[in-house]
Amino acid sequence: MNSPKRTIIPFGPQHPVLPEPIHLDLVVEDEKVIEAIPSLGFIHRGLERLVEKRDFIDFVYVAERICGICSFIHGLTYCIAIEEIMQIEVPKRANYLRLIWSELSRIHSHLLWLGLMADGFGFEALFMHTWRLREKILDIIEETTGGRIIFGSAKIGGVRKDISSEKLAQILEKLKNYAQEIREITNVFINDSSVKHRLVGVGVLSKEDAYILGAVGPTLRASGVGLDTRKLGYAAYKEIDFEPIIETAGDSYSRCLVRIREIFQSIEIIKQAAGKIEPGAIEVKVTGTPNGEFFARTEQPRGEVIYYAKADGSRFLQRLRVRTPTFANVPAMVKLLPGCQLADVPILVLTIDPCISCTER
Amino acid sequence: MKIFVMAKKVLTSLCARPATFRYPLVPKTYYKNTRGSITIDINRCIYCGMCQRKCPAQAILVTKADKEWKIDRLRCVSCGYCVELCPVKCLSMKNTYSASTQIREEEAFRRA
C-alpha cells in the first residue's frame, strides 16, 4: 500500500488565533500533522542593541516595552540585574509593592490567555466574559500605577508610585469580589464537556520531555515539574508562603488548570503581602555607575525570564541579553505538534502562551 | 461531564446591563494617576533640553534660540520621565489623552 501523500500547510504569521506573528510549516498526511517547522523573526526590533545608546537608568522604559503583557516584570528584572551589580539595597516596602504589581500582572495575563484560548476553540461568549473580568484588574492597575498595560512604576532603586493603605484595603475588597466572579467563569473551563472535549488528552508533554527541552512556567509545571522561579525569593517572595502549582497529566487541560489555579494563588499572595507590608521609603537614591555582570531571573506569567547585564563602569551597558519564556517554550511546542490533528494546531500553539514580541525583542 | 455550565451566566447576562458603556454619550472617568498626555507651562520653561535628551521615544524637540518647545504626540509614549526630570517643574502629566489626529504634526509651544 502506498503511504498517503504529504502536504505542507503554512500556518501564520497572520492567523486568527495568533495574537502575534509566528510562522509554522506543517507537514501533514491527510489531517494528521507529521512535522512542524517553525520560523521566527518577523518583529525583531533590536532592543538589546539599544542598551548601548541609552543611559542605564533610562533603559528601564525600553525594557518595560519589550512585552505588552509582562511589561512590569521585564522592567523589574532589568532593575534587579542593575541593583545587584551596583549592590543597591531596595527598601522593604518597594519590594512588597513590586510583588503586588507582579501578581496583578500575572492575574491579568492569565485571564487574557484564558480568553484567547476560549476564542481559539470558538467559545466566543466565554472569551468575552473572561476579558470583561480582566478589564477590572486593568482598572486596579491603572488606578495604582497610571498605565493599564505599561505600568511604568519599576525604577532602579525602588518603585515610582506608592499604594496607600486605604487603597490597598479597597483593592483587597475588590479582589475578593472578583475571585467569586472569576470562579464562575473558570468553572466553565474546568467542567464544561465541550471545553474538556477540546483539551483533555490533547498535546501531551511528558515530564522528561518538558525537562529536557527546557520548558518553563505553566508549560513545565503542567507536566509535573515543580519549578517556579518565585521560590528563589526575589522582591518580597521569600517572606510569602506559597507552593508552586503542579499538574501531572501534561496535556492542554492541565496547562489550562495550572493557569486557572495560579490566578487564585496570585490573589492569595496579594492578600498575604497586604498583611505584611510596612510603611517606609519606596526608593533609594542611585548614585554612580554599574561595573560588573549579573544574571537576574524572575517568574513571568509565561515562565522564567533571564536578564544578563554586563557593565563596564560607564553610563551605558556593554551587553544586555534577554532570554524570554516563550523562547524556552518553542522547542516544547514543536514537540507537541507531531501526531496531532490539523484542527488542534491552534489550540496547541496557544497552550504555551506564545509571546512572540518578547521572543524576538 | 457537565453540559450547559455556562447557561446560568448567559441567562443572567441577558437580563443585565451591558458590560461596556456607550462611550461618547457616557464620558470616560479617568483616574487621578492615569498617564494621559504631557502639557507644558511654557512661560516657566528655561529651555534646558533635559526632557529632549532623556525622552525614551525622542518625541520632544527644544530650540533655545527660538524659545520653542515641540512635542510629537504620536511618538510620545506618555511614560512621564520628562515630568520627573524637569528642573523647574513646568512639565506636567494630564490624565486625559491627547485628541486623535489625521496629520503627523508636532505640537509647538512658544513663549507669548
Side-chain angles (χ1 to χ4, degrees):
Chain A
M1 204 177 93
N2 289 337
S3 61
K5 201 178 155 197
R6 290 192 174 184
T7 322
I8 296 178
I9 297 181
F11 178 88
Q14 300 291 324
H15 190 278
V17 301
L18 290 177
E20 290 169 48
I22 179 171
H23 176 81
L24 292 169
D25 279 312
L26 301 169
V27 183
V28 293
E29 258 175 26
D30 290 336
E31 287 276 308
K32 199 177 164 199
V33 177
I34 302 298
E35 198 188 352
I37 305 152
S39 46
L40 290 154
F42 293 94
I43 39 171
H44 175 66
R45 290 161 290 165
L47 293 179
E48 285 176 352
R49 180 72 200 249
L50 203 58
V51 83
E52 295 164 22
K53 297 189 174 135
R54 284 265 179 273
D55 190 304
F56 73 97
I57 289 179
D58 310 350
F59 195 79
V60 183
Y61 290 104
V62 182
E64 257 198 322
R65 281 160 178 80
I66 286 179
C67 178
I69 304 298
C70 5
S71 60
F72 179 75
I73 307 183
H74 268 293
L76 169 63
T77 320
Y78 174 77
C79 290
I80 290 175
I82 301 295
E83 281 155 7
E84 288 291 335
I85 294 175
M86 296 177 76
Q87 290 171 349
I88 297 168
E89 184 83 27
V90 180
K92 220 172 165 191
R93 187 174 179 85
N95 269 334
Y96 271 101
L97 290 170
R98 284 173 170 192
L99 175 140
I100 289 171
W101 280 317
S102 300
E103 291 308 316
L104 280 173
S105 80
R106 195 177 315 278
I107 299 173
H108 104 75
S109 171
H110 283 345
L111 284 172
L112 174 118
W113 178 85
L114 286 170
L116 287 176
M117 196 65 184
D119 192 38
F121 51 66
F123 204 151
E124 283 287 322
L126 191 53
F127 158 61
M128 294 286 178
H129 275 291
T130 321
W131 279 34
R132 175 176 60 82
L133 294 172
R134 173 177 174 254
E135 205 61 31
K136 298 186 175 183
I137 304 294
L138 292 184
D139 279 345
I140 296 180
I141 293 170
E142 183 176 352
E143 209 179 337
T144 51
T145 67
R148 274 161 52 85
I149 301 291
I150 307 284
F151 296 17
S153 49
K155 180 181 191 178
I156 295 171
V159 288
R160 277 199 173 77
K161 295 247 161 62
D162 200 355
I163 307 179
S164 66
S165 51
E166 299 88 60
K167 183 65 65 196
L168 206 55
Q170 278 176 22
I171 292 173
L172 283 187
E173 191 58 38
K174 278 182 188 169
L175 283 177
K176 213 165 104 190
N177 299 334
Y178 295 164
Q180 188 53 36
E181 284 189 67
I182 294 170
R183 204 173 286 283
E184 274 178 27
I185 292 300
T186 50
N187 275 344
V188 182
F189 282 94
I190 298 171
N191 296 326
D192 194 276
S193 67
S194 58
V195 175
K196 276 175 108 169
H197 190 67
R198 288 304 301 273
L199 299 180
V200 176
V202 176
V204 178
L205 186 68
S206 68
K207 190 174 176 178
E208 291 73 34
D209 281 346
Y211 190 78
I212 289 166
L213 292 169
V216 290
T219 315
L220 180 68
R221 291 195 286 277
S223 295
V225 186
L227 288 178
D228 190 325
T229 324
R230 284 178 290 177
K231 289 306 262 182
L232 290 179
Y234 66 91
Y237 283 110
K238 53 186 168 297
E239 288 152 40
I240 300 289
D241 180 32
F242 74 101
E243 282 306 315
I245 283 169
I246 306 168
E247 290 285 332
T248 46
D251 58 353
S252 302
Y253 186 64
S254 353
R255 288 192 275 280
C256 188
L257 280 185
V258 166
R259 288 187 175 101
I260 288 171
R261 288 173 58 198
E262 278 190 4
I263 294 176
F264 298 108
Q265 187 192 42
S266 292
I267 294 176
E268 274 307 309
I269 290 178
I270 294 175
K271 229 180 258 174
Q272 277 191 43
K276 288 183 178 170
I277 193 167
E278 289 161 9
I282 57 163
E283 57 171 307
V284 287
K285 203 169 157 44
V286 178
T287 48
T289 50
N291 192 356
E293 54 187 339
F294 192 73
F295 269 104
R297 297 162 67 200
T298 58
E299 184 79 7
Q300 279 185 346
R302 295 175 166 84
E304 177 187 353
V305 66
I306 302 176
Y307 266 64
Y308 167 71
K310 188 180 179 195
D312 59 353
S314 74
R315 296 206 65 86
F316 305 95
L317 295 190
Q318 266 187 327
R319 178 83 172 99
L320 181 77
R321 162 87 181 129
V322 186
R323 202 295 310 269
T324 60
T326 309
F327 186 81
N329 277 335
V330 164
M333 180 188 81
V334 174
K335 175 85 182 173
L336 290 177
L337 291 171
C340 77
Q341 292 294 304
L342 185 60
D344 284 331
V345 172
I347 301 284
L348 290 179
V349 173
L350 277 180
T351 52
I352 68 151
D353 200 357
C355 178
I356 310 300
S357 63
C358 276
T359 311
E360 296 177 3
R361 305 170 303 281
Chain B
M1 280 291 198
K2 290 184 190 168
I3 51 169
F4 300 126
V5 184
M6 185 86 178
K8 194 181 148 207
K9 189 82 217 162
V10 171
L11 288 175
T12 48
S13 302
L14 270 178
C15 312
R17 300 221 323 263
T20 51
F21 54 88
R22 305 177 70 190
Y23 168 59
L25 300 175
V26 184
K28 159 107 172 78
T29 46
Y30 294 95
Y31 296 103
K32 201 175 108 250
N33 274 336
T34 303
R35 296 196 308 274
S37 54
I38 304 286
T39 49
I40 183 168
D41 178 1
I42 192 70
N43 292 324
R44 276 166 54 212
C45 181
I46 53 167
Y47 307 97
C48 63
M50 184 66 113
C51 46
Q52 179 188 331
R53 281 195 298 280
K54 293 285 186 176
C55 178
Q58 297 165 342
I60 300 174
L61 185 68
V62 185
T63 332
K64 194 159 191 173
D66 301 343
K67 295 217 178 315
E68 194 181 51
W69 188 89
K70 275 185 184 172
I71 183 165
D72 187 341
R73 296 279 181 207
L74 296 176
R75 282 197 89 133
C76 175
V77 292
S78 299
C79 61
Y81 196 29
C82 50
V83 178
E84 205 175 291
L85 287 167
C86 184
V88 290
K89 301 286 168 223
C90 67
L91 288 170
S92 57
M93 181 67 87
K94 270 200 301 190
N95 66 351
T96 51
Y97 302 115
S98 52
S100 55
T101 170
Q102 286 186 320
I103 33 168
R104 188 174 198 127
E105 205 177 40
E106 286 170 334
E107 199 176 330
F109 294 85
R110 255 202 202 101
R111 191 166 282 192

